[in-house]
Amino acid sequence: MNQDYIKADNWSIIEEGFDAERVKSSESLFSIGNGAMGQRANFEETYTGKTFQGSYIAGVYYPDKTRVGWWKNGYPEYFAKVLNAPNWIGIAVYVNGETLDLNTCKTVSNFRRELNMQEGWYKRSFVTTLANGIVVEVETLRFLSLELDELGAISYSVTAVNSDAEIVFAPYLDSGITNEDSNWDDKFWNTTKVSATENRAFIEAHTMKTKFETCTYMQAFLEYKGNLVSEGLVNQTDTTVSFTFTQKVEAKETVTLTKFGGYTVSRNHRSDKLVAAANSVLDKAVALGFDALLKKQKEAWDAIWHMSDIVIEGDVKAQQGIRFNIFQLNQTYLGTDSRLNIGPKGFTGEKYGGSTYWDTEAYCLPFYMATKDHVVARKLLKYRYNHLEKAIENAQKLGFSNGAALYPMVTMNGEECHNEWEITFEEIHRNGAIAFAIFNYYRYTSDYSYIPEMGLEVLIGISRFWHQRVNFSEEKGKFVMLGVTGPNEYENNVNNNWYTNYIAKWCIEYTLEQLNKVKDGYSDDYGRIIGKTKLTDVECEAWKEVADNLYFPFSEKHQVYLQQDGFLDKELVKVADLPKTARPINQKWSWDRILRSPYIKQADVLQGFYFFEDDFTTESLERHFDFYEPFTVHESSLSPCVHSIQAAKLGRMEQAYRFYLRTSRLDLDDYNKEVEEGLHITSMAGTWMSIVEGFGGMRVLDDKLSFTPQIPKQWKTYSFKVNFRNRILKVTVTQEGATFVLEGGQEGMSIRVNGERKVLKPV
Amino acid sequence: MNQDYIKADNWSIIEEGFDAERVKSSESLFSIGNGAMGQRANFEETYTGKTFQGSYIAGVYYPDKTRVGWWKNGYPEYFAKVLNAPNWIGIAVYVNGETLDLNTCKTVSNFRRELNMQEGWYKRSFVTTLANGIVVEVETLRFLSLELDELGAISYSVTAVNSDAEIVFAPYLDSGITNEDSNWDDKFWNTTKVSATENRAFIEAHTMKTKFETCTYMQAFLEYKGNLVSEGLVNQTDTTVSFTFTQKVEAKETVTLTKFGGYTVSRNHRSDKLVAAANSVLDKAVALGFDALLKKQKEAWDAIWHMSDIVIEGDVKAQQGIRFNIFQLNQTYLGTDSRLNIGPKGFTGEKYGGSTYWDTEAYCLPFYMATKDHVVARKLLKYRYNHLEKAIENAQKLGFSNGAALYPMVTMNGEECHNEWEITFEEIHRNGAIAFAIFNYYRYTSDYSYIPEMGLEVLIGISRFWHQRVNFSEEKGKFVMLGVTGPNEYENNVNNNWYTNYIAKWCIEYTLEQLNKVKDGYSDDYGRIIGKTKLTDVECEAWKEVADNLYFPFSEKHQVYLQQDGFLDKELVKVADLPKTARPINQKWSWDRILRSPYIKQADVLQGFYFFEDDFTTESLERHFDFYEPFTVHESSLSPCVHSIQAAKLGRMEQAYRFYLRTSRLDLDDYNKEVEEGLHITSMAGTWMSIVEGFGGMRVLDDKLSFTPQIPKQWKTYSFKVNFRNRILKVTVTQEGATFVLEGGQEGMSIRVNGERKVLKPV
């Protein structure tokens, strides 16, 4: 953890001073993205120090052949790797013949980075003395356009500080790039053509195996004293192309390179039209110009913030933290493309691979439902519908039949790509989160249409899976679910994980309910679905039999549901009684010791109490919270948010606030000393939930929004907006109370505040 | 399975006819070894077809960096790889300038291999027409000397069949070899010097990291019509050296190359004396000559067979099978070096790595105790004593303390090198087998000295482990052992595996018993051990508390011990009721499905009934056998033997014989289509046990040998010898009855046969 790394600021992420050891971490923190592509904050100019180069195109991946120690039958053959794409940001700079390189220069001063979240740009500036004694000042500003989402723009200025200097700029494209995360050192990219026109350059390359065709392109202008400098030679190799601009710069004068670049991809264009598409983007960019594009960028971010901002007064670090989370979520996914999803590292790193985990449904969906139009959340749901066939195939590979669907633990294209057996094969509760998201989407948006159109088929596949996955225990006289891993990944291959059993039962019951509803209200859809799935009443009866007779481990003594069979056989020493030297246990203890311990990585039983809170009394929640939280080590980035929400519900605001702090600045303060690998994107949605659902107590009850607002004593006020069924509600909470403002519209809206009905008039 | 692959023969393994698809399988089956080194039956001459090259030096390994999909804390950093060593057998042959290569020649006829187990040599012969039309007949005979265990010898004859021919022989050494099993394609060998004298050549090379220094050497003679042909040029590269012999051979005449070669190793010599040591071996070999060495080879094998042979009349295939097993065990380990052990593939392949599993104690020890002098078995025990410090370190890495010892699942030098968490961390019953072997050794040999000298320290380390590994369950009011994998590896991370709990309890009780015995009878040793281990009465009391209060899952309904907690929750469909298409489940089912099924890979509860049979009634054995065997798929090579012994004990000879058949010709008939990877060496000892302990019913009861002889109805007679406390007893069983002959000695010996006391006089 490093609390002084990033300067506190309401709207910007700021680093001051150059530290070569922090370059990789800052490359993560200052990442930029526009939903369609993104990149780490790598330097444009040459840098020979430690760096983790990364530029990513949404949906472009490589199925890397699985590499494991010991093969288990059923492992997926491939792991979808997040791919480092060709570099378009590169600008080699030479000063009197010497390469500008912060790793080899004599001194660096006034080094500063700023990621302006309000306006969506990233700026870096520094003064450096090169080995040849020449001092230059550099300022560079970069953004990935929301207006033209295939385009990025860079303004790179060099000022000769102490003397005249000949400055050469060589903006380039480079497809000779590699991945840090590669199983077999395969070649991921094949470059097919490098070309250049008078002032534009293109590299056409495709990914191996997946054959995503891409065109990486650029155009650059050098300006000195108000005049354009014409470029010199085009330099080409098999995988690079550059232009050379040379300019004698007088002392104190500045020369500025403007570079436009980016990708056009066969996912969005015909393969043979990629260069044409790139030219078209460049035409638009050139016509608008850098400044106008930057202005549009600010406007676009302004629109995003208008809806999704959370304002906290009285705590700059908390303000900065929550905005960083909201900003990164929006950089990662904007809901414009139902083929995309929310990767755990977004566009900030390669780790974990794949783009979709159950994080999307369990953590990210509520954020997108409340801060965007409902079509965005619907796209996330449609994504899973589009993968239903693959989920059925996936289940078939594991021995299931009759249309049973098991959604993958990790995926890019619908196929499973995770390959730890205890997760891939056993962490099947993910199926439940996908069903719950359907319920949650309808509950929040009241848009039922997804269910007859798509969702019911998903629900049927999932229910079929649960029905086949349980078996009847003669011993217990109940159906049991053996050999699973629950949300708490510090347990593997356990029997009757309460959360998994609970969500399985719920899935079946919800599916049966929706079947009836669709039958009654959408008979065409019903006919189509029954025809397609061949679902019979007999099968539904068999599901019901399972749901009605599923086993749930329960302790009479403690009056709590047990996380799994045998939980009480563990040595129940509380986390607080562990020696400090044992923490975090995932670094200090061997895996077997973790597995047989009672320690919980993230909410498991309590995750069930979160999803299905209406099924349990607050007393029961309190009993379970008091039983399980003391054994919870919160070593997953997804853990503190659920606990924060539950603690707030129990009125334990001090505890709720402590949990909130653990999640909101996880990356900014680099708690786990791993931010250089990339950011924890999906858990950022959990931070948003901690405020809105936790402190704000927002719920949907009886088709209406309900709030139980509380505020940490450390804050003066906080406010947020939610889009509820196309009505915008602004909630402001102070130490004195809460106010609710309904923005626009004609009609009033009824909400509940602390259980009391309240009718809001639009303003 | 391929029943016609190997010709039935009482003493030899014979293959007739050349099949390129079988070359790799035959390379395994015709492997030769002498305990100190061994090699696959690779061709001496060039072969460009599919082959798996392997020559192995006992105890020479490489710690290959672990490669896993997802790292788990506590994984061992390295996996000790069985190393393919430099090639000394190579003899390139050219006929009128054309390379002799069975992959490129026009025809091959009369191809025949014979592994003569009685005499310990391997012969191959064939007639081939080369592309140039020349027909040659080749006969080659090879053995690894038992007399000089650093030496191998080859006689390679070529007869010109249809015309005169110029035949060139280029015997060579080659250290430019690689491993099939390599995690990171590391370079395993570094060659430091290639040299040649007038007629000898040497390659000095060391293994990377482990720095085993080796000298691979050769000397060759070519003889034509009774005269030695002088060799031509020496050819050297960085990693090869060869001699060239050229001879015009008349039609129908034969030219014979004799090649001596092998390895001298820094494990046995000073590093700077390896070439000298090689010269010394060659001096001896040359002085004796090929024929005399071969004669000594036959004599040495004759001595081995004299003691260890099992003669079966009336069933040639059974005879061949059991001799193949006995032969391979003796090729692998002869008990001359307590730094060595019995690798699962012996000298026949690289798979699994490491040289020592619990197989040694559980399966191999009885064979070596009964067929060798007791010092051999004692060396196997001493091996574990020598690794005690490493076992303590291994336990420390996993969080244990105070001298607790966890022996590795797989090892070469005492360090754990297995890296599946469910095995490495959880299959801890292996510790019990090591303690049981100490008990078993004393029971069989009456040599108590190992216990005060070494064994007690091992027992204390193991008991300390068990004591720390359990925890007290408030819920059960008993000590429990959570998160283990029992012998049945089709279950992972289970609680209270009955076998593991039982052997843990037994270990503690046995250790306490031996502590008292050593205290009473070996006070010097006792003082030394207590001083070293700092063992206190309080600690012993704590152990006893655990042993007295350990939990054992039991079903009142079925009156059987449960393999683990929750076993009865499974869907108890018997193996016989599974569709054929589901077998073998390890190929047809995904891992999760196997884990949640009731199917048992190898004896688990029944393994406990085998080790501790005196603790249970025959009725109880029968009940447990009838409960568990129907769920057992026997997909481990170690499974059928224990079941064969138990079935024989229950008088179910038909079933016992069926199990016996599954184990005895596993490799010869290539049941699992995997023999090309190497042989299943350790399970071969199980085959021996099936006859001696199963059909013969041999036990040690009250310090005396006891027998309950039975015979499969398919056999006429069978006989075996056992060395019991330096007395040789020959047992012959016919359909009519059994006879017992005590060989040599002065005194009589009392045994029990079917419970009746019988006194044997020496003959």
Side-chain angles (χ1 to χ4, degrees), chain B residues 124 138 153 157 167 341 365 387 450 483 517 592 595 603 617 630 635-636 662 718 732 757:
Chain B
R124 180 170 56 104
V138 173
S157 297
I167 303 189
N341 212 287
L365 188 78
H387 287 178
Y450 176 75
K517 214 163 149 182
D592 60 314
L595 285 183
T617 63
E635 289 174 9
S636 159
R662 281 180 80 146
Y718 68 94
T732 305
R757 185 158 170 268

Side-chain angles (χ1 to χ4, degrees), chain A residues 173-189:
Chain A
L173 305 177
D174 178 7
S175 61
I177 39 80
T178 56
N179 248 50
E180 296 228 333
D181 183 17
S182 162
N183 291 341
W184 301 87
D185 299 327
D186 281 9
K187 188 184 166 196
F188 288 167
W189 289 93

Side-chain angles (χ1 to χ4, degrees), chain B residues 377-425:
Chain B
R378 191 179 160 108
K379 279 190 178 126
L380 289 174
L381 265 53
K382 187 174 176 198
Y383 176 94
R384 294 292 194 177
Y385 177 70
N386 290 339
H387 287 178
L388 177 59
E389 282 310 308
K390 295 269 190 193
I392 291 171
E393 277 171 35
N394 184 36
Q396 271 168 353
K397 285 180 195 160
L398 301 181
F400 297 86
S401 58
N402 187 36
L406 175 60
Y407 278 92
M409 190 65 203
V410 186
T411 194
M412 192 67 92
N413 65 346
E415 285 170 28
E416 177 63 81
C417 64
H418 198 290
N419 49 35
E420 272 181 307
W421 65 262
E422 56 274 27
I423 306 292
T424 311
F425 298 146

Side-chain angles (χ1 to χ4, degrees), chain A residues 67-74 79 182-185 351-352 357 397-400 418-422 425-426 468-476 480 482-483 491-496 555 557-558 562 565-566 568-571 585-596, chain B residues 67-74 79 182-185 351-352 357 397-400 418-422 425-426 468-476 480 482-483 491-496 555 557-558 562 565-566 568-571 585-596:
Chain A
R67 181 149 210 167
V68 295
W70 296 83
W71 189 265
K72 301 276 203 273
N73 227 20
F79 194 110
S182 162
N183 291 341
W184 301 87
D185 299 327
K351 205 178 173 187
Y352 302 128
Y357 291 65
K397 285 181 195 159
L398 301 181
F400 297 85
H418 198 290
N419 49 35
E420 271 181 308
W421 65 261
E422 57 274 26
F425 298 146
E426 295 202 333
Q468 292 175 34
R469 185 55 171 73
V470 301
N471 68 275
F472 190 74
S473 163
E474 293 289 342
E475 181 84 352
K476 291 198 163 65
V480 293
L482 307 181
E491 299 280 354
N492 289 158
N493 198 43
V494 298
N495 296 336
N496 295 307
S555 164
K557 179 177 166 194
H558 299 280
L562 292 176
D565 283 355
L568 290 179
D569 281 336
K570 289 169 178 278
E571 194 169 20
I585 62 171
N586 67 10
Q587 285 172 31
K588 301 299 177 64
W589 283 6
S590 70
W591 187 239
D592 60 313
R593 191 170 180 188
I594 291 175
L595 285 183
R596 64 181 183 271
Chain B
R67 182 149 210 166
V68 294
W70 296 83
W71 189 265
K72 300 276 202 274
N73 226 20
F79 194 111
S182 163
N183 291 342
W184 301 86
D185 300 327
K351 204 179 173 186
Y352 301 129
Y357 291 67
K397 285 180 195 160
L398 301 181
F400 297 86
H418 198 290
N419 49 35
E420 272 181 307
W421 65 262
E422 56 274 27
F425 298 146
E426 295 203 332
Q468 293 174 35
R469 185 56 171 72
V470 300
N471 69 275
F472 190 74
S473 162
E474 294 289 342
E475 180 84 351
K476 291 200 163 64
V480 293
L482 306 181
E491 298 280 354
N492 290 157
N493 197 43
V494 298
N495 296 336
N496 296 308
S555 164
K557 178 176 166 193
H558 299 280
L562 292 177
D565 284 356
L568 290 179
D569 282 336
K570 289 169 178 278
E571 193 168 21
I585 61 171
N586 66 12
Q587 285 172 30
K588 302 300 177 63
W589 283 5
S590 69
W591 186 239
D592 60 314
R593 191 171 181 187
I594 291 174
L595 285 183
R596 65 181 184 271

Side-chain angles (χ1 to χ4, degrees), chain B residues 310 644-645 648-649 653 688-699 705-712 715 718 720 731-733 738 740 752-754:
Chain B
I310 294 184
S644 183
I645 295 168
K649 181 172 177 179
M653 276 300 285
W688 179 90
M689 295 198 304
S690 299
I691 294 185
V692 175
E693 301 183 13
F695 303 159
M698 185 177 89
R699 299 289 189 277
L705 279 185
S706 160
F707 297 88
T708 51
Q710 301 178 82
I711 182 169
W715 294 357
Y718 68 94
F720 59 86
V731 180
T732 305
V733 185
F740 300 84
R752 274 180 192 275
V753 178
N754 295 321

